[in-house]
Amino acid sequence: MPNPSALLGLACALACSSVAVAHVPVPGFGELEGGYAKSGGTGEAQRRLAEAIPVGMGVGDAQAMLVGAGATCRSEHRAPDVRHCLFHQYSLADGAADDIRWAVRLDAPGGRVRTVSVDRSVDRHGPN
């Protein structure tokens, strides 16, 4: 018969570990842009993505979360351990059309996320 204390300890360990990996949603385009407008940089986006996609997460799960938040993703042909995901939207402001892109790169050797990096770029079409 198993030791009741050992079973209680195992149950606690499982419950505590599930709290530690509680699901944090991937921010969508609007949230990424809002954080950028507030902070003036990509640091907030990097922090939020790192919370949502922790090191060691399966790359398929990470990609599914990004797609669920509105990104499109692809694998890199020459580097199958790398996934590129893109949040893309047009914005009309100040008489110009801005083509705004948030690029998220997942480095996932062995199918597990090792690093998540983010970059924002804007192509402006029209008056500056």
Side-chain angles (χ1 to χ4, degrees):
M1 176 175 212
N3 180 340
S5 296
L7 289 176
L8 182 59
L10 177 61
C12 181
L14 290 172
C16 293
S17 67
S18 66
V19 171
V21 294
H23 175 70
V24 175
V26 169
F29 182 89
E31 293 171 285
L32 294 171
E33 277 296 293
Y36 183 83
K38 262 197 239 179
S39 67
T42 60
E44 177 69 10
Q46 183 70 47
R47 183 190 66 74
R48 300 241 350 247
L49 287 165
E51 282 180 357
I53 303 170
V55 170
M57 174 180 269
V59 70
D61 292 336
Q63 181 173 320
M65 289 173 64
L66 287 160
V67 168
T72 57
C73 298
R74 66 176 173 79
S75 299
E76 191 170 306
H77 178 66
R78 286 176 250 137
D81 290 339
V82 175
R83 301 286 168 89
H84 294 279
C85 297
L86 181 68
F87 292 93
H88 179 238
Q89 196 165 344
Y90 291 100
S91 172
L92 298 173
D94 304 326
D98 291 339
D99 185 3
I100 306 169
R101 293 180 195 92
W102 283 90
V104 180
R105 177 186 165 124
L106 303 174
D107 290 304
R112 297 280 173 201
V113 174
R114 183 178 58 197
T115 60
V116 178
S117 57
V118 64
D119 185 46
R120 180 183 184 269
S121 63
V122 178
D123 289 331
R124 179 158 269 218
H125 307 285
N128 290 332

